[in-house]
Amino acid sequence: MSPFSVFERSSPELLNWLKSTGVRRTITASTQLIREGEQPQRLLLLMEGSLRATITGPQQRQEQLATLPPGSLVGEMSWLEQRPAVACITAAVDSSVLEISVTELETLQTHDLHLASELHRLIAQKLAAQIQEQNAWIHRHPNDHDSIEPLRKVLVLFAHLQEQDVYQLARLGELQSIQPGTLLLQQGEPVQALYLILSGNADILFTLSEVTQVVGSTRRGELLGEMSLLLEEQDGASAGVHCPDGMALLTINRTRLLAELESDLSLSCRFYRGLACMLSQRSRDQLQRHRGGTNSQQSELIETIDLDQLTGISRAARHFDWLCNHFQTKEATEP
């Protein structure tokens, strides 16, 4: 997969907003822009030069994650999750970056829903591409950890949705029962829907060079098909999904969902931001489980969950419970 570039993915309107809102800075080689374990208060867009992303391993050794070209976006995970950075970002050569403050990012959502929705979708796309690269790395190093990485619960998405949003998703979707032993998604095959797991579990399979590995597991309250929804150029499902014991799903047709998001910018903005947060946490989990992130994990030991986060989690749980009960009741009353 080619590097993810904001220059190539953004509309002219969004790119103009980023350039007019951000502050352009020239930095010399070896300058550290983001320190692992600290929480930056800005988003960075690389305009010229090159950045290096590294992560701290268990023995405090620095491991390089990636070399980032112009058009790369960094700092979005800390902004979305309000958590410390999981990696260090350093200028590999003399470079130029655009700094967009958190204040400006939050203000956009209240002043221009169209641009805010596009920005959140763009970030979600970037994180989806990032997770694909991480999945490939995990496939090449299957014995680094014995445990299988659990995918992040959809409660992260639901925490950003309002009550009417959940009703809209329920209206768009339908209940689907999956029999034990079914391969729900085949890597590389088209994905026609977004799937929310109401009950059951499945294994996530990733195939590279004709070798298939289990890279994750998914269970009640999690989402499937979001990678294909975000990365339109992707050639089918990014991974396979096997259901050993069967599942009950809320299946939302992709075409209907995209049409709804296009017509309702408020829903679109909340949906893509929630999706971006969910993918950010999934990426962080993978990095910390398989690559290290010692400094960021130590920083979070002293962090506390604030009242807004607790409120969001509680609201998300109510939304998901309502959705499950709605379809269980519907199934029981239908002939």
Side-chain angles (χ1 to χ4, degrees):
M1 177 180 290
S2 58
F4 188 94
S5 173
V6 170
F7 301 150
E8 297 175 1
R9 301 269 186 164
S10 297
S11 68
E13 293 79 13
L14 178 58
L15 203 53
N16 287 337
W17 180 85
L18 290 169
K19 290 178 179 179
S20 63
T21 303
V23 176
R24 188 157 181 162
R25 301 196 185 282
T26 300
I27 52 176
T28 57
S30 300
T31 300
Q32 192 171 71
L33 297 172
I34 295 178
R35 186 186 300 274
E36 181 188 333
E38 296 183 358
Q39 189 169 319
Q41 296 301 313
R42 66 200 191 286
L43 206 62
L44 298 176
L45 174 60
L46 179 62
M47 305 299 290
E48 297 174 354
S50 177
L51 301 178
R52 185 181 298 113
T54 59
I55 196 167
T56 306
Q59 284 78 43
Q60 291 295 306
R61 289 181 299 185
Q62 290 295 307
E63 178 185 349
Q64 182 163 323
L65 294 175
T67 299
L68 307 175
S72 296
L73 194 67
V74 294
E76 78 286 346
M77 291 172 65
S78 290
W79 169 51
L80 289 169
E81 300 180 60
Q82 293 298 295
R83 294 169 68 184
V86 73
C88 287
I89 304 296
T90 307
V93 298
D94 291 351
S95 303
S96 173
V97 298
L98 203 61
E99 297 183 354
I100 303 98
S101 73
V102 167
T103 301
E104 293 289 354
L105 292 168
E106 297 295 345
T107 300
L108 179 64
Q109 189 157 325
T110 60
H111 285 76
D112 193 326
L113 281 176
H114 179 78
L115 287 185
S117 176
E118 183 187 349
L119 176 62
H120 291 136
R121 184 171 188 267
L122 181 78
I123 292 174
Q125 289 174 325
K126 184 259 186 182
L127 291 166
Q130 182 172 301
I131 288 171
Q132 281 193 331
E133 294 177 358
Q134 291 172 192
N135 283 342
W137 188 93
I138 293 169
H139 181 283
R140 293 193 298 270
H141 302 81
N143 298 320
D144 271 19
H145 292 271
D146 294 332
S147 57
I148 303 292
E149 180 234 351
L151 302 186
R152 179 64 61 171
K153 290 183 180 296
V154 81
L155 292 185
V156 178
L157 167 60
F158 274 33
H160 289 82
L161 299 181
Q162 296 181 358
E163 194 169 285
Q164 67 266 27
D165 301 333
V166 181
Y167 296 155
Q168 282 180 272
L169 294 178
R171 177 176 54 81
L172 291 172
E174 60 183 27
L175 184 66
Q176 182 178 1
S177 297
I178 305 300
Q179 296 302 310
T182 299
L183 189 64
L184 175 66
L185 297 178
Q186 174 72 53
Q187 184 174 330
E189 294 295 319
V191 181
Q192 305 296 341
L194 191 68
Y195 304 96
L196 173 60
I197 303 176
L198 303 179
S199 66
N201 58 78
D203 295 326
I204 307 300
L205 311 176
F206 186 76
T207 301
L208 187 66
S209 302
E210 299 184 353
V211 177
T212 300
Q213 298 279 353
V214 177
V215 297
S217 62
T218 187
R219 55 185 61 83
R220 181 180 186 270
E222 295 175 359
L223 204 61
L224 299 169
E226 75 283 1
M227 304 285 275
S228 296
L229 181 74
L230 291 166
L231 301 176
E232 296 177 356
E233 75 281 8
Q234 180 176 287
D235 187 19
S238 61
V241 178
H242 177 254
C243 316
D245 304 313
M247 292 192 300
L249 305 172
L250 171 63
T251 301
I252 305 175
N253 178 271
R254 170 178 169 160
T255 302
R256 291 187 65 192
L257 175 60
L258 290 175
E260 191 82 8
L261 293 174
E262 186 175 343
S263 65
D264 188 338
L265 288 178
S266 294
L267 170 64
S268 178
C269 193
R270 292 188 292 269
F271 178 83
Y272 283 123
R273 178 160 184 161
L275 206 55
C277 286
M278 187 185 76
L279 292 171
S280 180
Q281 291 199 11
R282 185 185 302 174
S283 178
R284 181 186 295 268
D285 285 349
Q286 281 189 340
L287 286 170
Q288 291 182 335
R289 184 178 294 270
H290 296 279
R291 306 296 291 265
T294 305
N295 291 344
S296 61
Q297 292 182 67
Q298 289 177 345
S299 295
E300 291 194 283
L301 291 176
I302 59 174
E303 295 285 335
T304 57
I305 299 178
D306 62 29
L307 184 59
D308 288 341
Q309 289 175 303
L310 289 173
T311 302
I313 292 170
S314 176
R315 182 175 64 250
R318 291 197 305 273
H319 288 163
F320 180 70
D321 285 342
W322 177 87
L323 202 60
C324 290
N325 293 333
H326 170 75
F327 280 96
Q328 287 173 351
T329 302
K330 184 177 180 181
E331 183 182 30
T333 57
E334 289 181 348

